[in-house]
Amino acid sequence: MTLDELGGFVRAVPDFPKPGILFRDLTPLLADGAAFRAATRALADRAGDFDLIAGIEARGFLFGAALAQLTGKGLVIVRKPGKLPGATIAHDYALEYGTDRLELHADAVTAGARVLMVDDVLATGGTAEAAVTLVRKAGGAVARALFVLELEGLPGAARLQALGVEAVSLFRYPA
Ligand code: AMP
């Protein structure tokens, strides 16, 4: 399946979750076995060298898990607060209104491990930036940040670049 064909499985939903947001919905891609497999392979082709995958809650878990299976690497999960049972480290980050927090098991990343971060969509980059900081706090080195798609006109890739992390995505769509 070509990337163009794969793009046909990305659905644009206007005004979700609030007016003015054009939501890029990947559920049709996940629901089609051939498309999900093609997306996973395309991500693996762009993954570079790494030791471990960090999937970001929630849709990063789906693509992170598929990629872990394809590449034979392990998966650690970057979660919203209060979900992980063991000792955690956390990073708080600013939202438009208020703050949010991401957590990771304190022993999830071995020192110096090259961690490939995976999420579905790179938008403002706030979540990815926080995940990079968290993985680094845990002792890991972020190898690359991989997304199914990136929204153009938002500062996501530039924010990651400012942290020294390359953002790679299969598709670029207008925000
Ligand atoms: P951000 O922190 O702004 O980069 O947004 C990150 C998270 O929000 C991603 O994990 C996406 O799942 C989700 N997201 C933000 N904007 C969109 C959008 N327009 N369509 C689909 N998902 C989005």
Side-chain angles (χ1 to χ4, degrees), residues 11 13 16-17 21-26 56-60 80 93 95 119-129 147 149 151 154 156 159 174-175:
R11 177 165 56 190
V13 183
F16 182 87
I21 304 284
L22 183 58
F23 192 85
R24 303 290 178 173
D25 177 23
L26 296 177
I56 303 174
E57 186 160 356
R59 290 178 293 267
K80 300 197 169 134
Y93 60 104
L95 297 175
D119 205 355
D120 62 336
V121 175
L122 176 63
T124 66
T127 311
E129 194 179 68
F147 304 90
L149 68 92
L151 299 179
L154 294 176
R159 282 172 81 174

Side-chain angles (χ1 to χ4, degrees), residues 45-111:
D45 287 345
R46 291 158 179 79
D49 285 334
F50 65 98
D51 303 310
L52 189 64
I53 294 168
I56 303 174
E57 186 160 356
R59 290 178 293 267
F61 295 170
L62 304 169
F63 293 99
L67 200 53
Q69 285 296 294
L70 186 62
T71 60
K73 305 288 185 180
L75 172 72
V76 299
I77 53 180
V78 174
R79 296 219 64 176
K80 300 197 169 134
K83 305 280 189 185
L84 291 168
T88 56
I89 52 169
H91 181 67
D92 294 308
Y93 60 104
L95 297 175
E96 197 177 349
Y97 301 104
T99 61
D100 212 341
R101 169 180 288 222
L102 289 179
E103 293 182 348
L104 184 62
H105 270 146
D107 61 358
V109 177
T110 21

